[in-house]
């Protein structure tokens, strides 16, 4: 959350400015309204109306900025959850609750709670200064009654957190049961168990509703208590000013000004009381999302311990394509050293391309195992390791857009590196242009995209096929210059590439 706020500090500064201007407009509105009542002046009434309209405009602008923050946060968190879905063992009910309900609460937080927090932080000190400069005793009443509301919210908050946690668990169970019943609806119908499933779903739904109702009861109590306290505080200010006005110890203008300002002073606190249960729900939602995203450290911490660039061991590896009987690879054993360039050679049909796809995690072995250092690459681990791998097929795919966007598909585009790579591979192509490319150009652009990703393991399938000898020399020179701290695996039949590689491994055709 801290990183998210830092990344969006420009929006936060805009919100702060809007709230600051709004606070001064509220004070001016109170002043002009008091003048309009005392002097019965149309001029002051028009000025009050103008301040009121400007206040609404700034308020709406701030709300739009809060909404944009909410959308950015939801998009960012959803991307993280989707990226980690395959890496973590989690129930479908938890995923559904995280993706929909938890993020929906975050939207409510930015719409109902965050604006009032900003208002309280900015308005209260400014209103207190205005009150002190007008009448010290009234300012003292403001200051004395202000801490009561937060203290009451603190007491209610403990109980609300417990109830909200129970409501979350019941909702998660409801989501899980609903998905399971929906996925098994055909089997339930065949075995005539629809009514049983409906009763189970009804029972879970009633429990979830009851838990949610418990939270709403506490929310009603907290909002009622705050409404009562703030109303009594405003009444105390009004009665004190009235008695002092009758006694002649205070003038009509400051009394009327402070009486108009008093509801505005307590308004952010009242609104926080109304939306207090949303704040508690948002807090619990953030904790649930953090727990889900940090679970990788418990279950998959070994992935982070992989030494980069990795050394690769292949043990008894076999692979059979679907609907095929004979294996493309049969009981392959080999070792690919770390930080070196290894050439995979062999006749056509030996399985060079298949081996590369297995190393890249595109295919899973039918039998055997691939180890990165001493870590077996099971299915879930492959999904995380894929981020450290770049695979370039024989004919790389480029999307129907500019080359610059094709290059920047993985991250922010490093324009300097891109220009350097284009020169090193003798490619005179404008990155902003869309144009038809030859196979040789496509191959070299695919290689550039892989190196821009800056992966620790780069896998190249026949990168120089179709290139002339001069262009192949550019490629080999490029590979030598940019291979530091990388394990590079190249499938090739070109003798120049085989001679250039640090190691060569020959595959034989499986029989």
């Amino acid at each position: 959350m801290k990183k998210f706020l830092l990344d969006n500090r420009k929006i936060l500064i805009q919100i702060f400015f809007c709230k600051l201007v709004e606070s001064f407009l509220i004070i001016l509105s109170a002043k002009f309204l008091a003048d309009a009542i005392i002097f019965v002046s149309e001029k002051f009434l028009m000025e009050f109306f103008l301040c009121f309209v400007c206040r609404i405009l700034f308020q709406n602008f701030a709300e739009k900025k809060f909404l944009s923050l909410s959308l950015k946060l939801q998009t960012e968190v959803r991307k993280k959850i989707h990226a980690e879905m395959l890496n973590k063992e989690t129930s479908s009910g938890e995923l559904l609750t995280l993706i929909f309900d938890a993020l929906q609460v975050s939207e409510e937080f930015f719409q109902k709670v965050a604006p009032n927090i900003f208002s309280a932080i900015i308005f209260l000190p400014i209103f207190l200064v205005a009150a002190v400069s007008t009448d010290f005793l009234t300012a003292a009443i403001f200051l004395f009654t202000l801490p009561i509301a937060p203290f009451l919210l603190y007491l209610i908050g403990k109980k609300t957190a417990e109830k909200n946690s129970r409501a979350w668990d019941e909702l998660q169970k409801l989501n899980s049961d609903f998905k399971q019943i929906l996925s098994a609806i055909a089997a339930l119908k065949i075995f005539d168990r629809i009514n049983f499933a409906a009763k189970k779903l009804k029972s879970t739904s009633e429990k979830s509703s009851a838990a949610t109702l418990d939270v709403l009861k506490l929310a009603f109590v907290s909002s009622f208590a705050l409404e009562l306290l703030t109303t009594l505080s405003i009444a105390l200010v009004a009665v004190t000013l009235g008695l002092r006005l009758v006694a002649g110890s205070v003038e009509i203008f400051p009394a009327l000004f402070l009486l108009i300002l008093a509801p505005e002073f307590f308004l952010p606190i009242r609104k926080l009381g109304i939306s207090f249960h949303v704040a508690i729900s948002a807090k619990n939602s953030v904790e649930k999302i953090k727990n889900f995203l940090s679970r990788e450290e418990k279950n998959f911490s070994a992935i982070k311990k992989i030494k980069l660039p990795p050394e690769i061991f292949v043990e008894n590896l076999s692979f059979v394509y679907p609907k095929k009987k004979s294996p493309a690879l049969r009981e392959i054993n080999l070792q690919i050293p770390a930080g070196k360039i290894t050439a995979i050679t062999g006749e056509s049909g030996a399985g060079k391309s298949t081996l590369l796809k297995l190393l890249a995690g595109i295919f899973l072995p039918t039998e055997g195992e691939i180890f990165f250092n001493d870590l077996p690459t099971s299915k879930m681990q492959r999904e995380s390791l894929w981020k450290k791998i770049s695979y370039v097929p024989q004919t790389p795919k480029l999307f129907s857009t500019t080359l610059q966007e094709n290059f920047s598909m993985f991250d922010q585009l490093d324009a300097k590196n891109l220009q350097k790579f284009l020169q090193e591979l003798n490619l005179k192509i404008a990155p902003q242009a869309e144009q038809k490319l030859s196979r040789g150009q496509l191959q070299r652009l695919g290689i550039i995209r892989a190196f821009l990703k800056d992966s620790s393991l780069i896998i190249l399938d026949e990168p120089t096929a179709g290139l002339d000898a001069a262009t192949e020399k550019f490629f080999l020179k490029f590979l030598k210059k940019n291979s530091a701290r990388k394990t590079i695996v190249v499938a090739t039949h070109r003798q120049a590439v085989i001679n250039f590689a640090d190691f060569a491994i020959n595959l034989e055709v499986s029989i």
Side-chain angles (χ1 to χ4, degrees):
M1 181 60 75
K2 288 181 180 178
K3 184 179 180 300
F4 173 78
L5 294 176
L6 286 173
D7 292 341
N8 293 279
R9 55 183 176 272
K10 184 178 178 181
I11 296 177
L12 292 174
I13 291 169
Q14 290 174 343
I15 293 171
F16 178 83
F17 175 75
C18 286
K19 289 294 178 182
L20 190 65
V21 174
E22 188 183 342
S23 66
F24 287 111
L25 287 171
I26 291 171
I27 293 172
L28 286 173
S29 297
K31 177 185 178 300
F32 291 140
L33 184 58
D35 285 334
I37 293 171
I38 294 169
F39 300 109
V40 194
S41 170
E42 292 179 359
K43 177 189 172 184
F44 290 123
L45 195 60
M46 287 300 296
E47 288 174 340
F48 162 75
F49 179 74
L50 182 62
C51 287
F52 181 78
V53 170
C54 291
R55 174 191 174 182
I56 297 299
L57 291 175
F58 277 98
Q59 194 174 24
N60 288 339
F61 181 81
E63 287 175 359
K64 287 181 180 179
K65 290 298 176 182
F66 276 118
L67 185 59
S68 69
L69 278 178
S70 173
L71 292 174
K72 284 186 177 182
L73 179 64
Q74 289 185 68
T75 303
E76 187 175 311
V77 173
R78 278 199 173 99
K79 283 181 179 178
K80 288 182 179 179
I81 292 174
H82 291 161
E84 299 297 335
M85 278 171 60
L86 296 175
N87 300 339
K88 295 178 171 60
E89 297 179 4
T90 184
S91 67
S92 57
E94 183 183 5
L95 275 177
L96 288 170
T97 312
L98 283 172
I99 293 172
F100 294 104
D101 299 286
L103 290 176
Q104 180 63 34
V105 171
S106 73
E107 183 177 343
E108 292 180 2
F109 174 84
F110 278 104
Q111 288 180 345
K112 298 179 181 179
V113 181
N116 294 321
I117 292 175
F118 262 80
S119 296
I121 292 172
I122 297 170
F123 290 0
L124 296 182
I126 294 174
F127 291 170
L128 273 174
V129 171
V132 168
S133 62
T134 306
D135 183 67
F136 184 79
L137 181 59
T138 305
I141 295 173
F142 282 166
L143 194 59
F144 175 76
T145 55
L146 181 61
I148 300 175
F151 180 70
L152 181 66
L153 287 178
Y154 169 75
L155 294 177
I156 298 174
K158 288 186 176 181
K159 193 67 177 175
T160 306
E162 295 174 8
K163 296 285 186 182
N164 194 76
S165 180
R166 178 173 167 261
W168 173 278
D169 293 337
E170 293 295 341
L171 180 61
Q172 185 173 306
K173 190 173 184 302
L174 175 62
N175 284 332
S176 180
D177 288 352
F178 182 73
K179 184 178 182 298
Q180 288 176 8
I181 289 171
L182 198 63
S183 60
I185 193 73
L188 291 169
K189 193 170 184 178
I190 291 170
F191 292 100
D192 194 22
R193 301 294 287 171
I194 292 290
N195 291 335
F196 172 80
K199 287 178 182 177
K200 181 182 178 183
L201 196 61
K202 182 182 178 183
S203 173
T204 310
S205 177
E206 288 174 350
K207 288 179 181 178
S208 177
S209 299
T212 305
L213 190 60
D214 287 342
V215 176
L216 292 177
K217 286 177 183 176
L218 276 176
F220 176 78
V221 170
S222 65
S223 60
F224 173 77
L226 276 182
E227 285 283 349
L228 181 62
L229 280 173
T230 52
T231 302
L232 289 174
S233 299
I234 295 169
L236 181 61
V237 171
V239 170
T240 306
L241 286 171
L243 292 174
R244 292 172 63 204
L245 189 62
V246 171
S249 59
V250 65
E251 296 180 2
I252 181 67
F253 174 78
L256 192 55
F257 169 75
L258 291 171
L259 192 59
I260 295 169
L261 190 63
E264 296 289 352
F265 179 83
F266 291 103
L267 186 61
I269 303 297
R270 293 169 66 183
K271 286 185 175 179
L272 279 174
I274 294 170
S275 57
F276 180 65
H277 71 287
V278 176
I280 296 296
S281 299
K283 181 176 178 292
N284 288 343
S285 298
V286 169
E287 289 176 358
K288 297 287 184 184
I289 292 170
K290 278 184 177 179
N291 290 338
F292 175 78
L293 295 176
S294 63
R295 203 177 299 168
E296 181 182 11
E297 296 178 3
K298 298 178 182 178
N299 296 337
F300 299 98
S301 58
I303 295 173
K304 296 184 178 180
K305 295 178 182 178
I306 294 178
K307 292 181 290 183
L308 300 176
E311 184 176 15
I312 303 171
F313 299 90
V314 176
E315 294 186 1
N316 300 319
L317 186 70
S318 298
F319 181 77
V320 182
Y321 281 97
K323 299 182 181 180
K324 298 286 184 181
K325 293 183 179 179
S326 58
L329 292 171
R330 187 196 299 273
E331 295 182 357
I332 300 296
N333 291 278
L334 54 89
Q335 177 183 352
I336 298 173
K340 301 293 182 180
I341 300 172
T342 301
I344 307 294
T345 67
E347 298 177 9
S348 296
K352 299 189 296 295
S353 296
T354 302
L355 175 61
L356 296 194
K357 289 177 181 177
L358 287 164
L359 293 176
I362 297 170
F363 295 157
L364 293 176
T366 306
E367 293 180 6
E369 187 60 87
I370 299 172
F371 294 83
F372 283 76
N373 300 323
D374 56 351
L375 180 69
T377 56
S378 63
K379 181 177 180 179
M380 284 189 180
Q381 291 167 339
R382 277 177 180 274
E383 298 296 336
S384 292
L385 290 169
W386 185 85
K387 299 172 184 177
K388 302 178 176 69
I389 299 171
S390 286
Y391 167 72
V392 183
Q394 291 185 27
T395 306
K397 169 67 177 176
L398 262 70
F399 299 98
S400 300
T401 182
T402 64
L403 294 177
Q404 183 166 356
E405 290 176 350
N406 271 282
F407 288 131
S408 62
M409 62 184 293
F410 296 108
D411 208 336
Q412 294 295 320
L413 180 64
D414 189 336
K416 289 183 180 179
N417 271 344
L418 171 57
Q419 200 59 43
K420 180 170 76 78
F421 290 164
L422 287 170
Q423 290 175 358
E424 289 175 1
L425 283 173
N426 194 30
L427 276 169
K428 297 176 182 178
I429 300 173
Q432 293 81 12
E434 291 188 46
Q435 50 196 296
K436 292 183 179 180
L437 303 168
S438 67
R439 183 187 173 187
Q441 288 175 318
L442 275 175
Q443 284 175 310
R444 284 176 283 170
L445 290 172
I447 292 164
I448 289 175
R449 189 162 62 187
F451 276 84
L452 281 174
K453 188 180 174 184
D454 196 25
S455 303
S456 303
L457 173 60
I458 295 179
I459 300 170
L460 307 174
D461 192 357
E462 297 285 0
T464 62
L467 299 183
D468 55 40
T471 308
E472 189 175 58
K473 287 181 180 179
F474 277 107
F475 165 74
L476 296 178
K477 187 178 179 182
F478 170 85
L479 210 59
K480 183 177 181 180
K481 189 174 181 180
N482 297 285
S483 61
R485 295 184 297 279
K486 288 178 173 53
T487 299
I488 299 176
V489 183
V490 186
T492 184
H493 65 277
R494 300 284 286 259
Q495 193 60 45
V497 180
I498 297 170
N499 294 338
F500 172 80
D502 299 309
F503 299 92
I505 298 172
N506 185 63
L507 288 183
E508 296 182 357
V509 178
S510 299
I511 301 174

